[in-house]
Amino acid sequence: EIMRPVARVPVALRSALEYVHDLVPKILQCTASGGAGHLASFDAALALVERTMPKVTPEVGLAAVQACDNLLWAILRCELSGEGFEHRRLEFLCRVGAVLELLAQCQVSQGENGITVAVFQHFFKMVEHGTQDLRNRALYSVIGVCKSAPKAVRPVLEAIVQKAQELLPNLKDNQHTLCEALVAASTAAQEFGRQERLIQNLMNP
């Protein structure tokens, strides 16, 4: 289930979360067939999630925090049918840094490594295999999340840097953006010594 009982959540926020819970799975199921109409619905659903999740705080209750985690996983795991859908998902993921911070603070997430690692794995998958437009969007999403979710990034910096360095030699047209992403990640993690070494390595490959 995406949603769990949220008895401690204020009524208005609980109603919003329940509405999102009912709506988003239906929209995600429709994306497989593509089409402009479905893209508009997908965009509207993500916009609703973007407005609802940031209102959740630890004081609201663990069930609501868990609901945010479940929604992020559902959106991340959804099979999308076209570049427009994926571009919108990358935009969405760029804007959920505050939610990733919340999940890291509450130590709530599915999977062995949690949602933050899964989000960055998705970004780098698009960098490696996506079109030029999706590659650019994914790199800027990396930068956005690193800047807005430093506490979430800090524990997984090693994996982020390792993967980014693997990709660097193959991204002749995007090396400066990837460099910016690595600097943003190391700044978020307050690893300033590593940041200096990263810049030196990029200047002297």
Side-chain angles (χ1 to χ4, degrees):
E1 290 184 353
I2 290 180
M3 189 67 180
R4 295 182 180 182
V6 286
R8 294 178 57 196
V9 182
V11 175
L13 182 54
R14 182 177 66 186
S15 298
L17 283 169
E18 289 174 347
Y19 178 72
V20 169
H21 157 250
D22 290 337
L23 175 66
V24 170
K26 297 174 184 176
I27 298 299
L28 296 181
Q29 289 175 0
C30 293
T31 59
S33 58
H38 289 149
L39 178 56
S41 297
F42 183 66
D43 175 62
L46 293 190
L48 181 61
V49 177
E50 288 169 349
R51 289 175 175 82
T52 304
M53 287 198 302
K55 299 181 185 299
V56 177
T57 64
E59 292 73 29
V60 167
L62 188 60
V65 176
Q66 184 67 63
C68 292
D69 183 63
N70 293 340
L71 279 168
L72 284 181
W73 277 108
I75 292 167
L76 191 61
R77 289 168 172 165
C78 178
E79 293 291 333
L80 301 179
S81 58
E83 185 172 343
F85 287 94
E86 185 57 58
H87 193 281
R88 181 63 180 91
R89 173 160 60 183
L90 291 170
E91 286 182 342
F92 166 81
L93 293 172
C94 183
R95 297 170 182 167
V96 297
V99 182
L100 295 177
E101 288 282 90
L102 172 68
L103 296 174
Q105 178 182 350
C106 297
Q107 297 183 334
V108 171
S109 192
Q110 305 173 28
E112 182 179 352
N113 296 311
I115 188 67
T116 301
V117 170
V119 166
F120 276 94
Q121 286 175 337
H122 187 74
F123 288 157
F124 288 130
K125 177 182 176 182
M126 291 298 107
V127 170
E128 194 168 9
H129 302 293
T131 64
Q132 183 63 43
D133 182 58
L134 291 179
R135 182 180 301 141
N136 290 336
R137 177 62 262 177
L139 285 168
Y140 283 111
S141 292
V142 170
I143 295 169
V145 171
C146 286
K147 289 181 176 179
S148 61
K151 293 178 183 177
V153 168
R154 218 163 279 155
V156 298
L157 176 66
E158 188 73 34
I160 293 172
V161 171
Q162 181 177 349
K163 184 60 179 178
Q165 288 183 315
E166 290 175 7
L167 294 176
L168 189 63
N170 301 319
L171 297 178
K172 300 300 183 184
D173 297 331
N174 297 94
Q175 285 188 343
H176 65 288
T177 311
L178 184 56
C179 176
E180 184 180 350
L182 287 172
V183 170
S186 57
T187 299
Q190 297 182 346
E191 290 280 354
F192 302 113
R194 170 171 289 176
Q195 183 179 103
E196 183 178 357
R197 293 193 299 273
L198 283 171
I199 294 173
Q200 290 174 347
N201 290 339
L202 288 169
M203 295 177 64
N204 301 288

